[in-house]
């Protein structure tokens, strides 16, 4: 993945959190994800397709996720509420959608969100589409955004890359 | 005025409902995708305004807009979506969208776009 592609995602994270949650986000140093990297409690996942293949994953510790989802939805939520997963998925959708408008020259489509809730799960990257991790923090806690994206020329290649491995 | 909110995210529909309620609109109906919206239109009356998301399961917002336009050329439709590229905006306008709101949005922005759309089309608010 071209490291230059990370800037649109950092801009999108800042924009979404400021606009929808009135929260300022600070970033740690982006790093390449290894299979041993952290586990999560709540993840919103958006698939990327079209001229690229990959995924955008927004992962939170449970406490941060509950605070952020509640603020976003404007009501008090727990991780057992249907609206909790909906809010996390929509945040991931907004980040991916907002970033793709600044990825010039690439026709990218985004999937509807999937949300995984489970303590200690990992969303592993494939060897062919490595991911970058963007560590983020705000007044409601820390979270990470993982971005894996690769240009594709052949539809067959895209199909092979669709799989996102999930371990709980 | 009857307003239909079409978005697969209930969180977004709730945010839209809050904005519309503050603007004095209380006759609101909701649909989670294009198919559900078309079924509601078929079984009730045509709304006076639509807020439509683009990326939804079963039937996306663009297809829904095209379907609505085969039935009604005048009803105002506002697309509320993460799709922000110019090509997408043009595509939506060609399909019959009257106004466009990019997510993320503030309550003020959404309220202004709704008022702007209704005023421009001469719809009584």
């Amino acid at each position: 993945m071209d490291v230059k592609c990370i800037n649109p995602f950092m801009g999108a994270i800042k924009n979404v959190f400021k606009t929808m949650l009135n929260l300022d986000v600070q970033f740690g140093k982006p790093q390449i994800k290894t299979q041993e990297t952290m586990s999560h409690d709540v993840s919103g996942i958006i698939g990327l397709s079209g001229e690229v293949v990959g995924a955008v994953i927004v992962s939170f510790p449970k406490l941060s996720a509950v605070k952020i989802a509640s603020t976003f939805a404007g009501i008090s939520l727990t991780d057992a509420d249907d609206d909790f997963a909906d809010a996390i998925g929509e945040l991931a959708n907004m980040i991916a959608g907002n970033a793709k408008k600044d990825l010039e020259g690439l026709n990218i489509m985004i999937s509807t969100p999937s949300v995984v809730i489970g303590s200690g799960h990992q969303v592993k990257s494939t060897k062919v589409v490595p991911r970058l991790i963007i560590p983020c923090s705000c007044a409601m806690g820390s979270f990470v955004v993982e971005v894996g994206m690769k240009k594709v020329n052949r539809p067959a290649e895209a199909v092979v890359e669709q799989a996102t491995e999930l371990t709980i | 005025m009857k307003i239909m909110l079409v978005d697969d995210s209930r969180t977004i529909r709730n945010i839209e409902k809050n904005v519309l309620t503050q603007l004095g609109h209380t006759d609101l109906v909701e649909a989670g995708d294009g198919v559900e919206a078309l079924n509601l239109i078929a079984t009730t009356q045509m709304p006076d305004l639509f807020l439509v998301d683009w990326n939804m399961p079963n039937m996306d917002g663009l297809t829904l807009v095209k379907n609505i336009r085969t039935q009604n050329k005048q009803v105002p439709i506002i697309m509320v979506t993460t799709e922000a590229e110019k090509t997408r905006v043009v595509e939506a306008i060609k399909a019959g969208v009257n106004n466009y709101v990019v997510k993320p949005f503030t309550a003020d922005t959404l309220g202004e776009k709704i008022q702007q759309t209704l005023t421009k089309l001469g719809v009584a608010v």
Side-chain angles (χ1 to χ4, degrees):
Chain A
M1 180 176 160
D2 187 341
V3 177
K4 283 184 291 187
C5 291
I6 213 73
N7 288 334
F9 286 94
M10 294 172 84
I13 295 161
K14 269 194 173 295
N15 185 23
V16 169
F17 272 68
K18 188 65 183 176
T19 305
M20 302 308 297
L21 299 156
N22 197 26
L23 288 173
D24 292 313
V25 176
Q26 287 80 41
F27 299 110
K29 186 179 179 184
Q31 54 192 284
I32 294 173
K33 182 182 174 83
T34 64
Q35 297 298 1
E36 295 75 32
T37 324
M38 71 209 63
S39 59
H40 308 293
D41 298 328
V42 181
S43 294
I45 304 170
I46 301 290
L48 305 177
S49 60
E51 293 177 359
V52 302
V53 63
V56 178
I57 299 147
V58 187
S59 289
F60 303 88
K62 181 178 165 182
L63 191 59
S64 304
V66 168
K67 285 181 185 174
I68 288 168
S70 297
T71 304
F72 182 41
I75 52 174
S76 182
L77 296 171
T78 73
D79 61 337
D81 294 322
D82 288 344
D83 285 355
F84 171 76
D86 185 279
I88 295 296
E90 187 58 27
L91 274 176
N93 178 48
M94 283 189 185
I95 290 168
N98 203 240
K100 85 183 180 82
K101 80 174 193 304
D102 292 324
L103 293 165
E104 292 173 13
L106 289 173
N107 183 21
I108 300 173
M109 285 167 281
I110 59 175
S111 71
T112 52
S114 300
V115 177
V116 178
I117 302 172
S119 184
H121 73 260
Q122 293 186 358
V123 186
K124 294 185 177 178
S125 56
T126 63
K127 288 178 182 175
V128 190
V129 187
R131 277 193 220 129
L132 282 173
I133 296 176
I134 308 171
C136 307
S137 63
C138 67
M140 291 187 180
S142 61
F143 61 99
V144 298
V145 176
E146 300 181 10
V147 181
M149 197 172 68
K150 181 188 173 191
K151 287 184 189 177
V152 290
N153 298 316
R154 293 169 293 136
E157 189 179 1
V159 171
V160 170
E161 296 296 327
Q162 285 294 332
T164 298
E165 190 177 349
L166 180 69
T167 306
I168 295 179
Chain B
M1 170 178 289
K2 182 178 176 181
I3 303 174
M4 183 178 284
L5 316 175
V6 191
D7 198 304
D8 57 328
S9 168
R10 190 157 54 185
T11 304
I12 293 299
R13 296 201 306 269
N14 286 341
I15 291 170
E16 291 172 345
K17 275 196 291 186
N18 288 339
V19 172
L20 287 162
T21 303
Q22 285 174 12
L23 291 173
H25 300 289
T26 54
D27 188 5
L28 310 175
V29 287
E30 299 178 49
D33 58 50
V35 172
E36 193 181 341
L38 287 178
N39 287 338
L40 279 169
I41 294 167
T43 53
T44 59
Q45 67 184 91
M46 179 66 76
D48 303 297
L49 170 67
F50 286 89
L51 302 189
V52 178
D53 183 23
W54 190 313
N55 295 311
M56 297 183 288
N58 300 322
M59 180 189 288
D60 64 62
L62 194 70
T63 307
L64 172 63
V65 170
K66 290 174 181 173
N67 270 279
I68 293 168
R69 285 293 177 236
T70 64
Q71 303 177 41
N72 188 308
K73 303 285 186 200
Q74 276 79 41
V75 61
I77 304 173
I78 302 174
M79 190 72 97
V80 184
T81 176
T82 59
E83 298 289 341
E85 297 94 321
K86 283 181 184 171
T87 52
R88 304 280 186 186
V89 178
V90 170
E91 195 177 358
I93 290 170
K94 281 182 178 173
V97 163
N98 300 96
N99 216 331
Y100 206 92
V101 177
V102 176
K103 298 177 185 174
F105 56 81
T106 62
D108 286 347
T109 300
L110 182 61
E112 284 166 15
K113 292 274 187 176
I114 290 167
Q115 297 284 37
Q116 186 186 85
T117 305
L118 297 177
T119 303
K120 189 175 176 182
L121 296 173
V123 179
V125 181

